[in-house]
Amino acid sequence: MSQRVVRSILVRRRHEEVAAFVTDPHQVLPVVPGFARFAFVHDAGPGVEEWDVFLEIGTLHVGGRVEVTRPSVRRLAWESGRGTRHRFSLEVQPVGEHAELTMEMEYSLSGLLMARVSELLAKGIVARHLEAGLEEIRHHLEYGDVVPA
Amino acid sequence: MRLPGLPKLIKGAPADLTDRDPDFIRQMLPRLWLVGQTYFRAEVRGFENVPDEPVLFVGNHSGGAMVPDTFVFLLAHNTYFTVEGRPLYSLGHEMVTAFPFFGTFARKLGVVTADPTAAAAIFDQGASALVYPGGDVEALRPWRDRHKIVFDGRKGFLKLAHANGVKIVPVVATGGQDTFFVLNDGRKTAKALGLDKLLRVKSLPISMSIPWVLFPGDFMHVPLPAKIRIQVMEPVDLHQRFGDDPDWDEAYDYVTSLMQAGLSTLASKTVLPVLG
């Protein structure tokens, strides 16, 4: 069983500009506060990069070694290879002159009853992290600032 | 039928900076610490961002009538900068400063009726000021919007800081809106009842709190022991960023955007609502 969390935000910039930024992990990861630990590992083939990415949640570091791909010019995605089982994506859709940015995370924890309970409790935490990430990206693209974590 | 005292309540106590009582504040600090530390498990971070000069702290207002995060901030500021080292005044709603008993308590802690002349006097004497632009609208925002900045388009705080040549220091807080639960917006109700013109109150939502269970608006209640977190952010110099003749809409959009990003980041530390 797994849990899926989706959050979206409107960014008042042209969608091409937003897409160019969010589909580059070298640019977007430093701006998202929850991703306290990230490092490029190596190129793993055409259009595929391996990264170590961790979301810091209090005493837990949720994440691991991931394969990052760009399925389209408007989408960044990764899937875990080791660590917490999860998938993540950032996608940009044009909305008039601006852009809607959507973050999605799907994760699953090992175990039975307690794991299910933990997964459900974690949904709120993950949602708040996605919202924070979206707000930080939005503010950075609209004003150029990076708000310290 | 005349309601005795109502005109005075509406008008508010005149802004008098001498009402702030440092000895009273020092007496209150241990009590505030006990409640802040044990009941609200409060954390306040970021005072190292505050420059050594008078500033205008701009916060997001929460907690309805009880405003627990305001008291936590007062406690933290008065201990970090000391009671006399950098005095802090809070610009408050006229209903707060004139309220029987509580108004006297608030004025002794440094709450003054929000007024441009009073604010200028505060900065002239080398003190800092705290303001909540969102006011009652934000303090009574629905629980679903607890992590949203709701300043309701009010730009007076920008003009105040700019006119007085002081920097704005944004202060974001979480937890205050978990101490009671506001079920709806209530703006249409307030307008229909004429409260916005009569009392300068713009919303009348329905709230759930102890002991009232359900109550229109809010009244003094027992706040739930929600964990309160406060982050003092880096200052914003309006003159440097927007010049001597700012576009106030642009300045408002920038400051609220910055605070929203900060608030959302702070909110991401929450594990479970209320519990922390």
Side-chain angles (χ1 to χ4, degrees):
Chain A
M1 195 169 159
S2 63
Q3 301 295 328
R4 185 169 160 261
V5 183
V6 184
R7 288 292 185 272
S8 297
I9 200 167
L10 185 71
V11 181
R12 292 178 300 180
R13 284 291 179 270
R14 287 171 41 249
H15 66 90
E16 298 93 346
E17 184 185 335
V18 178
F21 180 81
V22 303
T23 55
D24 182 356
H26 295 269
Q27 291 197 80
V28 72
L29 286 179
V31 170
V32 180
F35 292 118
R37 197 154 60 103
F38 56 87
F40 173 73
V41 178
H42 65 89
D43 282 319
V48 182
E49 294 176 3
E50 276 198 0
W51 284 70
D52 282 334
V53 183
F54 291 88
L55 192 65
E56 191 180 307
I57 304 179
T59 49
L60 286 183
H61 285 198
V62 175
R65 179 72 47 95
V66 300
E67 271 196 359
V68 179
T69 57
R70 289 170 198 77
S72 76
V73 294
R74 293 206 290 251
R75 191 160 183 256
L76 177 81
W78 73 61
E79 185 160 352
S80 59
R82 68 183 193 208
T84 314
R85 299 282 175 264
H86 72 283
R87 286 197 196 98
F88 176 86
S89 70
L90 264 170
E91 186 162 10
V92 181
Q93 292 292 342
V95 176
E97 289 182 356
H98 301 138
E100 183 181 70
L101 177 59
T102 298
M103 252 193 209
E104 178 177 335
M105 182 173 272
E106 187 176 338
Y107 61 94
S108 67
L109 303 177
S110 301
L112 294 172
L113 180 63
M114 295 311 293
R116 302 290 88 79
V117 171
S118 298
E119 278 177 6
L120 285 169
L121 287 176
K123 263 190 107 160
I125 301 169
V126 170
R128 284 185 285 278
H129 273 83
L130 296 193
E131 285 160 9
L134 287 169
E135 290 287 356
E136 292 276 3
I137 292 171
R138 176 199 57 73
H139 183 75
H140 176 73
L141 287 171
E142 290 180 1
Y143 296 103
D145 293 349
V146 175
V147 180
Chain B
M1 184 179 92
R2 272 189 84 217
L3 291 171
L6 185 59
K8 182 183 171 201
L9 262 179
I10 295 171
K11 193 165 184 256
D16 186 351
L17 302 192
T18 61
D19 282 341
R20 183 178 183 266
D21 186 341
D23 288 332
F24 179 80
I25 294 173
R26 261 192 289 273
Q27 283 178 352
M28 285 296 111
L29 289 179
R31 294 166 174 80
L32 289 176
W33 179 82
L34 271 174
V35 174
Q37 197 62 43
T38 60
Y39 194 75
F40 294 114
R41 287 109 52 230
E43 292 174 13
V44 183
R45 300 192 197 288
F47 275 125
E48 66 279 4
N49 292 321
V50 182
D52 188 17
E53 58 196 64
V55 297
L56 180 68
F57 292 103
V58 176
N60 61 308
H61 215 8
S62 297
M66 302 308 289
V67 295
D69 41 0
T70 303
F71 289 104
V72 168
F73 186 77
L74 285 175
L75 162 71
H77 186 285
N78 277 298
T79 51
Y80 189 94
F81 294 104
T82 73
V83 177
E84 283 99 346
R86 177 75 66 193
L88 176 69
Y89 291 84
S90 183
L91 299 172
H93 197 284
E94 50 215 1
M95 281 183 70
V96 171
T97 51
F99 207 87
F101 303 113
F102 183 77
T104 306
F105 174 78
R107 292 197 307 277
K108 283 183 161 192
L109 284 178
V111 181
V112 300
T113 305
D115 177 270
T117 313
I122 288 169
F123 298 127
D124 280 345
Q125 70 165 243
S128 289
L130 167 67
V131 68
Y132 293 105
D136 57 309
V137 173
E138 190 169 47
L140 294 172
R141 67 192 182 282
W143 189 74
R144 63 172 185 271
D145 292 338
R146 65 196 182 284
H147 297 145
K148 295 253 183 280
I149 297 291
V150 180
F151 283 0
D152 205 30
R154 297 168 182 176
K155 302 180 180 71
F157 71 101
L158 296 163
K159 297 170 184 173
L160 186 73
H162 191 267
N164 287 282
V166 300
K167 296 184 178 99
I168 281 175
V169 176
V171 179
V172 292
T174 58
Q177 212 64 352
D178 284 332
T179 58
F180 78 135
F181 300 106
V182 183
L183 305 178
N184 67 331
D185 189 289
R187 291 198 207 199
K188 288 178 186 167
T189 312
K191 198 165 179 181
L193 293 175
L195 296 180
D196 52 343
K197 291 186 176 60
L198 185 63
L199 295 172
R200 258 197 345 120
V201 169
K202 297 216 168 169
S203 66
L204 188 66
I206 305 296
S207 63
M208 278 178 64
S209 63
I210 302 169
W212 313 115
V213 186
L214 286 177
F215 196 89
D218 186 35
F219 193 60
M220 293 196 170
H221 59 262
V222 178
L224 293 174
K227 182 168 178 73
I228 288 177
R229 290 185 176 92
I230 297 178
Q231 177 68 44
V232 180
M233 299 175 69
E234 289 180 2
V236 176
D237 188 327
L238 292 173
H239 277 276
Q240 194 175 71
R241 193 165 183 112
F242 298 104
D244 293 336
D245 188 19
D247 179 333
W248 294 116
D249 288 336
E250 192 185 332
Y252 175 86
D253 285 346
Y254 173 75
V255 173
T256 51
S257 171
L258 179 71
M259 290 185 69
Q260 182 61 68
L263 179 59
S264 296
T265 300
L266 187 64
S268 70
K269 297 184 195 301
T270 302
V271 176
L272 282 175
V274 184
L275 295 181

